[in-house]
Amino acid sequence: MSQLPLRSLVVLALFASASAWAKPPAPAAFCAKYPTAPTCVGTVPACTYCHVAAPQRNVYGTALETWLSPGATRPLSDGDFTSALPAALTAVEGLDSDGDAVTDLTEIQRGTLPGDPNSFPTDIPCAGGVNPEYKVCQYDLKYVYRKLLLDFCGFSPTYGMIKTFQALATDDLKRTFLDQELDRCLGTDFWRGKNGTLWKLAHPKIRPVGSLKAGVEDQGQIPLADYYDDYALFTWAHTDDHDVRSVLTADFFVARSGSNPTVYTPVTTKSTQRIDQAHRAGNMTSAWTLTYFVMFTALPRNAASQMYRAYLGLDIAKQEGLYSVATEPRDYDAKGVQAPACAACHATLDPLSYPYRNYNGLSGGQNLWNTYQPNRLETFFANQGATLAMTPESGVIFNQPVTSLMQWAQVAANSDAFLRATATDYWKLLMGHAPTAEENAEFVALWQALKTTHNYRVKPMLHQLIRTEAYGAP
Ligand SMILES: [Ca+2]
Ligand SMILES: [Ca+2]
């Protein structure tokens, strides 16, 4: 080997290079078209990009070949090859030559091999192709029909129903049928009736306590407030063509009547509610919320943190949703919240709580319970420290100053956090788990569309949800 002249080595190297590529200009022409492809950055594609062993092509090379000056006499000259290659590359960009569920162009851009089904980007849902046994990553209309009826109507379709469904001539007809079935189910008591699915969705937000239930229906031993009103507003806001933000912003109540169908109707007054219209903020100011979460406290941190957690998905106790206000916490009620272990959370929580300062739980005479009381702290908590009365009604949520609880509710209801939390509830309900990393793209599209496409209506969002791969692939 050492006896070989340098010239022979160069010839050998050139020959090896030429034989590896059926066409020596191929790598350069490829990289001229895709200069930012990872395989072209500081290197050129290996021969195996298009070939099993040159000149035998792999599936990607074969796909290219059919678009390379079709009809022209073979072999092409290097010049003809080079001028024909860009168009052929373009022609196959949308194909998935190796069947790994990722297009050739995406594979080129992402640096995986378009001719090797075992090489694919790992962060693309369903990349790697189809699992034939479970049809993973294949949206399955029949599967959706079964699941939809079970999830939204509460029963499985009969054999006859499945047969009728399968007999629909096209996938479009099946999709239309599924949309109709969804609408039908959303009107049933299984979905919207007393103790139905939507009520269950509301349980962790309302946190009912049977012994404290007031009202003619299911009254407890110590009847303090009727939380069925909270369920009624929640269900109204989440159904039909209603704005889901109403659950936080409504200045009205909702009455429930009948069954199959259960009917929810907005009303301006209700015997079980005491808050005056000018100070209402949906379920944030319901008799039950004020009774149970404000109760006897001066500064209702518990009410503010529960609303933040229940409707915005942010649990301050878990360090979620912290937007510290620089001058806080001021500790008006002398609870020691300026201690280092507390200050981090209370710099967010306390200014969230101030707008609740005049919302009365169970202080004073019973006729004053669950009402808005100007000077509530001064009236009922005069003996609880000198600075308590200095507690402002203005607060801060998500770094935005607000002057009232109604403004707090507006900022909250218009936030991305509210959209995400609302969509997350349904995702968990219908998928059985919070969105996974693989499902994230579909999940983000869903909660963003709740605002941009669906104008804060849950119903069209659910129609979008049943079309996601996360919902429809077994
Ligand atoms: Ca592919
Ligand atoms: Ca591949």
Side-chain angles (χ1 to χ4, degrees), residues 337-352:
V337 295
Q338 286 170 334
C342 308
C345 291
H346 282 268
T348 298
L349 176 57
D350 286 16
L352 275 179

Side-chain angles (χ1 to χ4, degrees), residues 138-149 162 165-166 469-474:
Q138 270 190 323
Y139 187 91
D140 181 333
L141 287 162
K142 188 172 92 175
Y143 172 81
V144 172
Y145 181 40
R146 286 178 184 280
K147 183 166 164 57
L148 182 155
L149 278 191
I162 293 278
F165 179 72
Q166 291 293 77
E469 190 165 78
Y471 188 78

Side-chain angles (χ1 to χ4, degrees), residues 98 100 107 113 116 119:
D98 57 4
D100 61 7
E107 296 216 51
L113 298 173
D116 179 355
S119 164

Side-chain angles (χ1 to χ4, degrees), residues 64-74 76 80-81 83-85 87-88:
L64 273 177
E65 159 68 12
T66 61
W67 290 93
L68 210 55
S69 293
T73 312
R74 277 10 187 198
L76 297 173
D80 289 346
F81 173 87
S83 56
L85 187 62

Side-chain angles (χ1 to χ4, degrees), residues 13-233:
L14 280 173
F15 178 78
S17 163
S19 66
W21 284 88
K23 285 293 177 188
F30 179 91
C31 288
K33 180 156 177 70
Y34 301 114
T36 60
T39 189
C40 292
V41 177
T43 173
V44 291
C47 55
T48 50
Y49 210 85
C50 294
H51 296 273
V52 178
Q56 192 192 345
R57 297 175 194 86
N58 65 26
V59 284
Y60 178 61
T62 304
L64 273 177
E65 159 68 12
T66 61
W67 290 93
L68 210 55
S69 293
T73 312
R74 277 10 187 198
L76 297 173
S77 71
D78 283 2
D80 289 346
F81 173 87
T82 306
S83 56
L85 187 62
L89 289 166
T90 303
V92 302
E93 281 178 349
L95 302 181
D96 172 21
S97 297
D98 57 4
D100 61 7
V102 184
T103 64
D104 294 348
L105 178 61
T106 301
E107 296 216 51
I108 291 165
Q109 290 167 335
R110 298 295 306 275
T112 60
L113 298 173
D116 179 355
N118 293 315
S119 164
F120 51 82
T122 54
D123 60 346
I124 295 179
C126 299
V130 169
N131 179 330
E133 191 175 350
Y134 299 105
K135 291 202 217 167
V136 172
C137 299
Q138 270 190 323
Y139 187 91
D140 181 333
L141 287 162
K142 188 172 92 175
Y143 172 81
V144 172
Y145 181 40
R146 286 178 184 280
K147 183 166 164 57
L148 182 155
L149 278 191
L150 197 57
D151 287 342
F152 296 95
C153 264
F155 66 89
S156 292
T158 62
Y159 176 72
M161 291 168 80
I162 293 278
K163 260 184 80 174
T164 307
F165 179 72
Q166 291 293 77
L168 292 169
T170 66
D171 283 358
D172 275 352
L173 285 174
K174 288 177 180 169
R175 288 197 177 90
T176 303
F177 179 78
L178 290 176
D179 282 331
Q180 290 165 352
E181 285 292 88
L182 177 58
D183 284 341
R184 183 172 69 81
C185 293
L186 294 179
T188 63
D189 272 9
F190 174 81
W191 186 255
R192 64 167 71 187
K194 179 185 176 184
N195 296 323
T197 304
L198 288 179
W199 282 45
K200 288 172 192 155
L201 212 55
H203 283 341
K205 306 176 196 316
I206 296 169
R207 305 217 339 227
V209 180
S211 57
L212 305 182
K213 165 96 179 46
V216 289
E217 206 177 350
D218 307 320
Q219 195 179 88
Q221 300 104 311
I222 313 165
L224 290 179
D226 188 354
Y227 44 72
Y228 283 180
D229 293 347
D230 303 56
Y231 288 97
L233 174 59

